[in-house]
Amino acid sequence: MTIEVLKPGLATSVQDIGRQGYYHLGIPPSGGMDQRSLRVANLLLGNPEGAAVLECALMGPELRFAESRLVAACGSEMTPRIDGQPRPLNEVFRVPAGATLSFDFVKAGARLYLAIEGGIDVPEKLGSRSTYTLGSLGGLEGRPLRADDRLALLPPPGAAREGRRLPEALIPSFSKHYLLRVVPGIYDHRLTDESRERFYEEDWTVASEADRIGYRLKGGTPLSFHEREPPFGAGDDPSNIVDACYPIGSIQVPSGSEPIILHRDAVSGGGYAMIGTVISADMDWVGQIQPHQLVRFVPITLEEALAARAEYRKVLEGLRKMP
């Protein structure tokens, strides 16, 4: 069974829940930027929760199916169509043999996850099928989809049921203004008190440079750093530090002007101060924010972050028990 890519969309790639255990070697986890939507799409179909899917950013692909398969599309509001006829989001539906699956322009959110009965069959690299484009690793030849590509599929598990739908209460509601919870970082002491307070009081606008590596933000007041003599090994920029590891979700502000939230394809370390880290429970939302939408950062304690993570895991467990 293969699927032919007629049009690749804007930035469509094969992703699963990511590869773990290699970040210390400079290889990031990759995987779906909205892990919840990726998992939900697979769970609706009865696929393994971490099966490989297509992550479709802002503009979906056009795909021709060689034979009939059930699919589920979750995440951003990007209406699927079979030969031009609309099909529902967050619900299992069938694509007949020879039919073409396409998508409308995105109405809300930024990334849709298309799961296909059985999952996409590309070689596992370091324990994952996820595409890491910078390293040309995983996915289909380590890159986003192109026209005329063909995707192989794994055998269907036989657990899928047409019409199975995500309960309304579990369907995400997307916004144009996001509050992102942040644990202040180990370098936020480099900021002046006034600058630190202002950073959390202002709205920031997502720039067009928002991708799997990181989200750049603009429009806020440039940050001010305490003056100092740069330590040996650090650069002269006021935001420079001696190289340190970058957590996924960490916020760096080169030159103090434009914060960058590092995401699942980010480099693992470097020489910019991290003033905080967006908590793991909110990183799915980051992957669904469109360029030009607004973000405000909310500082919380580590204890509050751990409680949010526990609640997130509770939601996932509830999704696994969907009727």
Side-chain angles (χ1 to χ4, degrees):
M1 167 62 183
T2 60
I3 294 174
E4 181 184 0
V5 179
L6 303 179
K7 296 179 181 179
L10 183 63
T12 305
S13 62
V14 177
Q15 300 292 343
D16 57 19
I17 57 175
R19 56 182 56 86
Q20 302 299 327
Y22 300 96
Y23 207 33
H24 67 293
L25 301 175
I27 300 173
S30 299
M33 291 179 70
D34 179 353
Q35 292 273 303
R36 181 182 181 276
S37 293
L38 183 152
R39 292 170 188 266
V40 166
N42 277 321
L43 288 167
L44 284 172
L45 285 169
N47 283 350
E49 187 174 328
V53 306
L54 292 182
E55 179 183 82
C56 313
L58 296 174
M59 181 186 298
E62 189 172 308
L63 310 169
R64 180 181 292 136
F65 283 60
E67 61 184 59
S68 177
R69 282 283 173 115
L70 293 173
V71 305
C74 299
S76 65
E77 296 178 18
M78 198 185 299
T79 302
R81 292 181 178 271
I82 299 177
D83 293 336
Q85 298 302 308
R87 290 294 184 269
L89 292 165
N90 303 300
E91 182 175 320
V92 176
F93 62 91
R94 184 173 296 279
V95 182
T100 297
L101 175 64
S102 60
F103 297 88
D104 287 352
F105 290 110
V106 66
K107 297 181 179 68
R111 286 172 175 81
L112 177 135
Y113 293 84
L114 177 67
I116 304 167
E117 189 182 14
I120 297 171
D121 186 14
V122 294
E124 286 193 2
K125 301 292 185 181
L126 301 179
S128 170
R129 292 183 166 91
S130 288
T131 308
Y132 172 40
T133 303
L134 281 179
S136 299
L137 181 69
L140 186 67
E141 300 176 359
R143 57 171 174 77
L145 297 191
R146 299 173 184 163
D148 300 324
D149 281 341
R150 279 176 165 74
L151 296 169
L153 298 179
L154 293 164
R161 178 174 57 82
E162 192 169 358
R164 189 184 189 201
R165 180 170 175 77
L166 184 65
E168 199 71 30
L170 298 177
I171 295 175
S173 179
F174 299 110
S175 173
K176 294 182 179 179
H177 188 182
Y178 290 83
L179 299 179
L180 299 177
R181 292 169 289 182
V182 172
V183 176
I186 59 174
Y187 294 100
D188 80 328
H189 66 278
R190 296 283 333 286
L191 300 175
T192 64
D193 292 343
E194 179 185 1
S195 188
R196 184 188 306 107
E197 290 175 8
R198 192 168 53 236
F199 174 78
Y200 291 111
E201 291 172 351
E202 294 185 330
D203 288 334
W204 296 84
T205 302
V206 174
S208 57
E209 306 96 317
D211 56 23
R212 292 187 50 83
I213 298 170
Y215 266 55
R216 184 181 292 271
L217 306 168
K218 299 182 178 182
T221 304
L223 303 183
S224 298
F225 293 83
H226 290 295
E227 293 186 9
R228 60 160 190 177
E229 183 72 25
F232 178 78
D236 293 330
D237 188 289
S239 64
N240 281 154
I241 57 171
V242 178
D243 282 9
C245 298
Y246 291 157
I248 299 297
S250 61
I251 304 167
Q252 54 182 231
V253 192
S255 300
S257 57
E258 297 178 354
I260 301 171
I261 306 170
L262 299 184
H263 222 296
R264 297 188 68 90
D265 280 1
V267 296
S268 58
Y272 288 115
M274 296 151 284
I275 64 172
T277 302
V278 177
I279 66 172
S280 60
D282 286 358
M283 286 301 290
D284 289 348
W285 290 118
V286 176
Q288 292 292 0
I289 304 175
Q290 295 181 10
H292 311 301
Q293 293 183 338
L294 298 177
V295 163
R296 180 171 291 188
F297 297 108
V298 179
I300 65 171
T301 65
L302 182 58
E303 290 73 21
E304 290 171 320
L306 291 171
R309 185 172 69 178
E311 182 61 29
Y312 179 86
R313 289 175 173 175
K314 183 179 178 181
V315 171
L316 288 182
E317 191 57 38
L319 291 169
R320 297 181 186 111
K321 297 176 181 177
M322 282 188 299

